[in-house]
Protein backbone atom coordinates (compact mmCIF):
# COMPACT_ATOMS: atom_id res chain seq x y z
CA UNK A 1 0.00 0.00 0.00
CA UNK A 2 1.33 3.41 -0.96
CA UNK A 3 1.50 6.33 1.41
CA UNK A 4 0.57 9.93 0.63
CA UNK A 5 0.23 13.22 2.44
CA UNK A 6 -2.97 14.17 0.56
CA UNK A 7 -5.20 12.33 -1.90
CA UNK A 8 -7.60 14.39 -4.02
CA UNK A 9 -10.71 12.60 -5.25
CA UNK A 10 -13.20 13.84 -7.82
CA UNK A 11 -14.06 14.04 -11.49
CA UNK A 12 -12.13 15.83 -14.17
CA UNK A 13 -14.42 17.89 -16.38
CA UNK A 14 -14.70 20.12 -19.41
CA UNK A 15 -16.60 23.40 -19.02
CA UNK A 16 -17.68 25.88 -21.66
CA UNK A 17 -17.53 29.20 -19.79
CA UNK A 18 -19.56 32.29 -20.67
CA UNK A 19 -18.07 35.24 -18.74
CA UNK A 20 -20.05 38.39 -18.02
CA UNK A 21 -19.52 40.67 -21.05
CA UNK A 22 -16.72 38.43 -22.30
CA UNK A 23 -16.08 35.88 -25.00
CA UNK A 24 -16.86 32.21 -24.26
CA UNK A 25 -13.94 29.85 -23.72
CA UNK A 26 -13.38 26.21 -22.77
CA UNK A 27 -11.82 25.36 -19.41
CA UNK A 28 -10.62 21.84 -18.68
CA UNK A 29 -9.90 20.75 -15.16
CA UNK A 30 -11.95 19.91 -12.10
CA UNK A 31 -11.27 19.41 -8.38
CA UNK A 32 -8.83 16.53 -8.97
CA UNK A 33 -6.88 18.76 -11.37
CA UNK A 34 -6.69 22.24 -9.86
CA UNK A 35 -6.26 21.00 -6.28
CA UNK A 36 -3.27 18.68 -6.76
CA UNK A 37 -1.49 21.17 -9.04
CA UNK A 38 -1.82 23.88 -6.39
CA UNK A 39 -0.56 21.50 -3.69
CA UNK A 40 2.34 20.22 -5.75
CA UNK A 41 4.57 23.28 -5.30
CA UNK A 42 4.96 22.40 -1.62
CA UNK A 43 6.77 19.12 -2.25
CA UNK A 44 4.24 16.85 -0.57
CA UNK A 45 3.34 13.31 -1.61
CA UNK A 46 0.20 13.89 -3.67
CA UNK A 47 -2.18 11.55 -5.50
CA UNK A 48 -5.39 12.06 -7.46
CA UNK A 49 -8.23 9.57 -7.86
CA UNK A 50 -10.30 10.62 -10.84
CA UNK A 51 -12.20 9.73 -14.00
CA UNK A 52 -11.68 10.82 -17.58
CA UNK A 53 -12.46 9.60 -21.08
CA UNK A 54 -9.62 7.73 -22.80
CA UNK A 55 -9.68 10.30 -25.61
CA UNK A 56 -8.82 13.16 -23.23
CA UNK A 57 -5.96 11.72 -21.22
CA UNK A 58 -3.70 14.56 -22.38
CA UNK A 59 -5.33 16.56 -19.59
CA UNK A 60 -3.39 14.39 -17.14
CA UNK A 61 0.01 15.48 -18.43
CA UNK A 62 0.37 18.56 -16.15
CA UNK A 63 -0.32 16.33 -13.14
CA UNK A 64 2.25 13.77 -14.23
CA UNK A 65 4.78 16.52 -14.88
CA UNK A 66 4.75 17.68 -11.25
CA UNK A 67 4.87 14.16 -9.81
CA UNK A 68 1.23 13.60 -8.83
CA UNK A 69 0.42 9.88 -8.71
CA UNK A 70 -2.72 9.13 -10.72
CA UNK A 71 -5.44 6.53 -10.23
CA UNK A 72 -7.67 6.95 -13.25
CA UNK A 73 -10.90 5.26 -14.28
CA UNK A 74 -11.79 5.46 -18.00
CA UNK A 75 -15.29 6.99 -17.97
CA UNK A 76 -16.79 9.68 -20.19
CA UNK A 77 -15.56 13.06 -19.00
CA UNK A 78 -18.03 15.25 -17.11
CA UNK A 79 -19.19 18.28 -19.09
CA UNK A 80 -20.63 21.58 -17.85
CA UNK A 81 -21.82 24.86 -19.32
CA UNK A 82 -21.10 27.73 -16.91
CA UNK A 83 -22.62 31.21 -17.22
CA UNK A 84 -21.64 34.29 -15.20
CA UNK A 85 -24.74 36.52 -15.57
CA UNK A 86 -23.31 39.51 -13.65
CA UNK A 87 -19.96 41.05 -12.81
CA UNK A 88 -20.09 39.34 -9.40
CA UNK A 89 -17.93 36.24 -9.89
CA UNK A 90 -19.64 34.56 -6.92
CA UNK A 91 -22.81 34.37 -9.01
CA UNK A 92 -22.78 31.66 -11.68
CA UNK A 93 -25.16 29.28 -13.40
CA UNK A 94 -23.80 25.80 -14.04
CA UNK A 95 -25.60 23.39 -16.36
CA UNK A 96 -24.63 19.71 -16.21
CA UNK A 97 -24.30 18.51 -19.80
CA UNK A 98 -22.96 15.07 -18.90
CA UNK A 99 -22.33 13.52 -15.49
CA UNK A 100 -19.82 10.91 -14.40
CA UNK A 101 -21.49 9.00 -11.59
CA UNK A 102 -20.76 8.29 -7.94
CA UNK A 103 -17.51 7.13 -6.42
CA UNK A 104 -17.72 4.19 -4.02
CA UNK A 105 -15.38 2.57 -1.54
CA UNK A 106 -14.32 0.04 -4.20
CA UNK A 107 -12.92 2.95 -6.25
CA UNK A 108 -10.39 3.72 -3.53
CA UNK A 109 -6.91 2.53 -4.54
CA UNK A 110 -4.72 0.49 -2.15
CA UNK A 111 -3.37 3.40 -0.11
CA UNK A 112 -2.59 3.91 3.55
CA UNK A 113 -4.99 6.11 5.54
CA UNK A 114 -4.10 9.78 5.05
CA UNK A 115 -5.81 13.11 4.45
CA UNK A 116 -8.27 12.68 1.58
CA UNK A 117 -10.05 15.64 -0.01
CA UNK A 118 -13.45 15.00 -1.57
CA UNK A 119 -13.92 17.60 -4.29
CA UNK A 120 -17.26 16.96 -5.92
CA UNK A 121 -18.93 19.09 -8.57
CA UNK A 122 -22.43 18.10 -7.43
CA UNK A 123 -24.36 15.62 -5.29
CA UNK A 124 -23.77 12.99 -7.99
CA UNK A 125 -20.25 12.07 -6.81
CA UNK A 126 -20.05 11.22 -3.09
CA UNK A 127 -22.61 9.70 -0.76
CA UNK A 128 -22.87 10.10 2.98
CA UNK A 129 -22.23 6.37 3.30
CA UNK A 130 -18.94 6.79 1.41
CA UNK A 131 -17.83 9.48 3.87
CA UNK A 132 -18.70 7.18 6.76
CA UNK A 133 -16.72 4.31 5.25
CA UNK A 134 -13.63 6.47 4.74
CA UNK A 135 -13.84 7.63 8.33
CA UNK A 136 -14.16 4.05 9.57
CA UNK A 137 -11.01 3.12 7.62
CA UNK A 138 -9.00 5.77 9.44
CA UNK A 139 -8.76 8.51 6.82
CA UNK A 140 -8.63 12.15 7.80
CA UNK A 141 -11.21 13.95 5.72
CA UNK A 142 -11.52 17.25 3.91
CA UNK A 143 -14.79 17.94 2.12
CA UNK A 144 -15.78 20.60 -0.37
CA UNK A 145 -19.45 21.02 0.57
CA UNK A 146 -20.23 21.69 -3.08
CA UNK A 147 -20.32 17.89 -3.17
CA UNK A 148 -23.50 17.96 -1.07
CA UNK A 149 -25.22 21.32 -1.62
CA UNK A 150 -25.01 21.47 -5.44
CA UNK A 151 -28.11 19.78 -6.85
CA UNK A 152 -29.11 19.41 -10.51
CA UNK A 153 -32.60 20.06 -11.88
CA UNK A 154 -33.66 16.95 -13.80
CA UNK A 155 -35.50 18.94 -16.46
CA UNK A 156 -33.17 21.87 -17.17
CA UNK A 157 -29.90 20.36 -15.88
CA UNK A 158 -29.29 23.67 -14.10
CA UNK A 159 -27.36 23.35 -10.87
CA UNK A 160 -28.92 24.86 -7.78
CA UNK A 161 -27.87 25.09 -4.15
CA UNK A 162 -29.93 23.54 -1.38
CA UNK A 163 -29.51 22.86 2.31
CA UNK A 164 -28.24 19.44 3.39
CA UNK A 165 -30.34 17.61 6.02
CA UNK A 166 -27.31 15.52 7.06
CA UNK A 167 -24.96 18.51 7.30
CA UNK A 168 -24.28 18.16 11.04
CA UNK A 169 -23.20 14.54 10.65
CA UNK A 170 -20.94 15.43 7.72
CA UNK A 171 -19.40 18.40 9.54
CA UNK A 172 -18.72 16.32 12.64
CA UNK A 173 -16.88 13.61 10.67
CA UNK A 174 -14.44 15.76 8.70
CA UNK A 175 -11.28 17.63 9.66
CA UNK A 176 -11.62 20.42 7.07
CA UNK A 177 -14.69 21.96 5.47
CA UNK A 178 -14.49 24.10 2.33
CA UNK A 179 -17.40 26.20 1.03
CA UNK A 180 -17.84 29.35 -0.98
CA UNK A 181 -20.05 32.17 0.26
CA UNK A 182 -23.08 31.08 -1.79
CA UNK A 183 -22.84 27.45 -0.68
CA UNK A 184 -22.45 28.59 2.92
CA UNK A 185 -25.58 30.72 2.55
CA UNK A 186 -27.53 27.66 1.39
CA UNK A 187 -26.40 25.83 4.53
CA UNK A 188 -26.80 28.64 7.07
CA UNK A 189 -29.31 31.10 5.64
CA UNK A 190 -27.00 34.09 6.04
CA UNK A 191 -24.53 35.74 3.66
CA UNK A 192 -22.31 37.20 6.39
CA UNK A 193 -19.05 35.25 6.32
CA UNK A 194 -18.26 35.40 10.05
CA UNK A 195 -21.77 34.29 10.93
CA UNK A 196 -21.59 31.47 8.38
CA UNK A 197 -18.32 30.21 9.83
CA UNK A 198 -19.59 30.45 13.39
CA UNK A 199 -22.73 28.47 12.62
CA UNK A 200 -20.79 25.76 10.79
CA UNK A 201 -18.44 25.48 13.76
CA UNK A 202 -21.40 25.24 16.15
CA UNK A 203 -22.72 22.35 14.03
CA UNK A 204 -19.47 20.42 14.30
CA UNK A 205 -16.94 21.78 11.80
CA UNK A 206 -13.42 21.58 13.26
CA UNK A 207 -11.87 23.90 10.67
CA UNK A 208 -13.77 25.87 8.05
CA UNK A 209 -12.62 27.89 5.06
CA UNK A 210 -15.00 30.08 3.05
CA UNK A 211 -14.03 31.73 -0.23
CA UNK A 212 -15.69 34.76 -1.79
CA UNK A 213 -14.82 37.32 -4.46
CA UNK A 214 -12.84 39.45 -1.98
CA UNK A 215 -10.80 36.70 -0.37
CA UNK A 216 -11.07 33.80 2.05
CA UNK A 217 -12.03 33.35 5.68
CA UNK A 218 -10.84 30.57 7.97
CA UNK A 219 -12.23 29.62 11.37
CA UNK A 220 -10.97 27.10 13.91
CA UNK A 221 -11.50 26.80 17.68
CA UNK A 222 -13.44 30.04 17.81
CA UNK A 223 -10.81 32.10 16.00
CA UNK A 224 -11.67 33.78 12.69
CA UNK A 225 -9.10 35.02 10.14
CA UNK A 226 -9.44 36.64 6.72
CA UNK A 227 -7.01 37.06 3.82
CA UNK A 228 -7.87 39.07 0.73
CA UNK A 229 -7.26 38.08 -2.85
CA UNK A 230 -4.88 40.37 -4.76
CA UNK A 231 -5.71 39.26 -8.30
CA UNK A 232 -5.34 41.85 -11.04
CA UNK A 233 -7.90 39.88 -13.08
CA UNK A 234 -10.61 37.29 -12.47
CA UNK A 235 -10.40 35.63 -15.87
CA UNK A 236 -9.16 32.50 -14.10
CA UNK A 237 -12.16 32.36 -11.72
CA UNK A 238 -12.92 28.76 -12.73
CA UNK A 239 -11.05 26.49 -10.32
CA UNK A 240 -10.74 29.14 -7.61
CA UNK A 241 -12.11 26.97 -4.80
CA UNK A 242 -10.27 23.81 -5.82
CA UNK A 243 -6.99 25.72 -6.13
CA UNK A 244 -7.51 27.29 -2.73
CA UNK A 245 -8.26 23.89 -1.16
CA UNK A 246 -5.14 22.31 -2.60
CA UNK A 247 -2.88 25.11 -1.44
CA UNK A 248 -4.46 25.42 1.99
CA UNK A 249 -4.42 21.71 2.81
CA UNK A 250 -0.84 21.17 1.66
CA UNK A 251 0.43 24.17 3.63
CA UNK A 252 -1.69 23.26 6.66
CA UNK A 253 0.10 19.92 7.06
CA UNK A 254 2.97 21.70 8.79
CA UNK A 255 1.94 25.36 9.26
CA UNK A 256 -0.60 27.31 11.28
CA UNK A 257 -4.09 28.07 10.05
CA UNK A 258 -3.30 31.77 9.65
CA UNK A 259 -0.15 31.12 7.62
CA UNK A 260 -1.95 28.52 5.49
CA UNK A 261 -4.79 30.95 4.81
CA UNK A 262 -2.39 33.66 3.65
CA UNK A 263 -0.44 31.18 1.54
CA UNK A 264 -3.56 29.80 -0.15
CA UNK A 265 -4.98 33.28 -0.78
CA UNK A 266 -1.70 34.38 -2.40
CA UNK A 267 -1.42 31.28 -4.59
CA UNK A 268 -5.08 31.50 -5.64
CA UNK A 269 -4.65 35.19 -6.48
CA UNK A 270 -1.87 34.32 -8.89
CA UNK A 271 -3.92 31.52 -10.44
CA UNK A 272 -6.99 33.73 -11.02
CA UNK A 273 -5.04 36.16 -13.17
CA UNK A 274 -5.13 33.68 -16.07
CA UNK A 275 -7.16 30.67 -17.15
CA UNK A 276 -5.95 27.18 -16.38
CA UNK A 277 -4.30 25.82 -13.23
CA UNK A 278 -1.64 27.43 -11.05
CA UNK A 279 1.71 27.20 -12.83
CA UNK A 280 3.82 29.48 -10.66
CA UNK A 281 6.52 28.59 -8.17
CA UNK A 282 6.70 28.35 -4.42
CA UNK A 283 8.82 31.51 -4.46
CA UNK A 284 6.13 33.35 -6.45
CA UNK A 285 3.64 32.58 -3.71
CA UNK A 286 5.92 33.71 -0.91
CA UNK A 287 6.55 36.98 -2.75
CA UNK A 288 2.83 37.56 -3.15
CA UNK A 289 2.34 36.79 0.54
CA UNK A 290 4.90 39.45 1.46
CA UNK A 291 3.16 41.97 -0.81
CA UNK A 292 -0.13 41.28 0.97
CA UNK A 293 1.20 41.33 4.53
Amino acid sequence: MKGYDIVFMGHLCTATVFPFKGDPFVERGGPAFFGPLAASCLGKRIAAVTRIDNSETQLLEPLKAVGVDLYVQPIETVQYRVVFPTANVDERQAFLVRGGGHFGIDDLPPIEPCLIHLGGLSIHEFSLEFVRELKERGFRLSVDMCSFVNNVDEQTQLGYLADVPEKKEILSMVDFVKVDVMEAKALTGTDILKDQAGMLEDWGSSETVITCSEGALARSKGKTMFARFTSKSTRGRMGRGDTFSGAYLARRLDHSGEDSLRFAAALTSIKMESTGPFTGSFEDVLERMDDNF
Side-chain angles (χ1 to χ4, degrees):
M1 298 180 72
K2 297 199 69 172
Y4 296 101
D5 295 309
I6 311 175
V7 172
F8 293 85
M9 195 168 191
H11 287 284
L12 295 183
C13 74
T14 297
T16 303
V17 183
F18 296 82
F20 179 65
K21 293 184 178 180
D23 295 328
F25 61 92
V26 174
E27 182 81 89
R28 293 180 173 85
F33 181 75
F34 291 110
L37 286 171
S40 66
C41 73
L42 285 149
K44 307 301 183 184
R45 299 172 300 166
I46 306 294
V49 181
T50 190
R51 293 171 173 170
I52 191 171
D53 191 273
N54 282 331
S55 66
E56 298 185 87
T57 54
Q58 70 276 4
L59 181 59
L60 303 173
E61 294 305 318
L63 294 164
K64 295 177 181 178
V66 296
V68 174
D69 281 0
L70 297 171
Y71 299 90
V72 182
Q73 300 171 4
I75 296 176
E76 282 191 312
T77 307
V78 172
Q79 291 186 7
Y80 271 89
R81 179 165 58 91
V82 182
V83 179
F84 289 89
T86 73
N88 182 356
V89 295
D90 287 331
E91 296 179 7
R92 57 179 172 174
Q93 300 168 339
F95 297 83
L96 179 62
V97 179
R98 183 172 66 204
H102 276 84
F103 288 92
I105 201 66
D106 291 339
D107 298 314
L108 194 69
I111 57 176
E112 296 176 358
C114 61
L115 176 60
I116 186 166
H117 176 71
L118 303 181
L121 298 162
S122 73
I123 62 170
H124 297 293
E125 293 188 40
F126 305 113
S127 67
L128 178 58
E129 182 58 32
F130 181 60
V131 178
R132 291 175 182 146
E133 289 176 316
L134 288 173
K135 188 72 174 179
E136 289 171 0
R137 293 194 179 198
F139 285 88
R140 297 179 66 212
L141 298 174
S142 170
V143 170
D144 189 325
M145 287 300 290
C146 180
S147 310
F148 295 96
V149 303
N150 192 21
N151 294 256
V152 179
D153 185 280
E154 292 184 2
Q155 299 299 320
T156 65
Q157 299 303 301
L158 174 63
Y160 65 93
L161 304 177
D163 196 9
V164 182
E166 306 87 357
K167 59 189 175 188
K168 292 184 180 180
E169 181 180 356
I170 296 171
L171 295 173
S172 66
M173 284 192 292
V174 305
D175 298 271
F176 300 96
V177 172
K178 158 69 179 66
V179 285
D180 69 20
V181 62
M182 303 303 288
E183 294 156 359
K185 183 177 180 180
L187 291 167
T188 65
T190 179
D191 56 6
I192 301 173
L193 265 66
K194 288 185 178 180
D195 292 347
Q196 292 174 341
M199 293 173 70
L200 293 173
E201 183 176 69
D202 289 343
W203 293 336
S205 177
S206 298
E207 189 158 331
T208 307
V209 292
I210 306 174
T211 55
C212 65
S213 58
E214 291 79 24
L217 176 147
R219 183 179 177 90
S220 178
K221 298 179 180 179
K223 182 180 180 181
T224 301
M225 304 155 282
F226 186 84
R228 66 185 180 91
F229 292 136
T230 58
S231 309
K232 301 176 180 66
S233 166
T234 57
R235 180 168 174 78
R237 164 66 177 86
M238 293 295 294
R240 180 186 76 184
D242 300 318
T243 297
F244 185 91
S245 293
Y248 184 87
L249 293 173
R251 185 72 168 178
R252 190 70 178 90
L253 290 173
D254 44 28
H255 286 77
S256 69
E258 182 175 6
D259 177 273
S260 302
L261 178 70
R262 292 181 55 238
F263 181 89
L267 186 149
T268 305
S269 296
I270 296 171
K271 176 264 177 291
M272 285 197 293
E273 292 174 347
S274 59
T275 58
F278 173 74
T279 57
S281 68
F282 179 73
E283 289 71 25
D284 292 334
V285 182
L286 295 184
E287 182 178 349
R288 183 67 67 99
M289 286 177 71
D290 290 339
D291 291 343
N292 193 30
F293 185 71

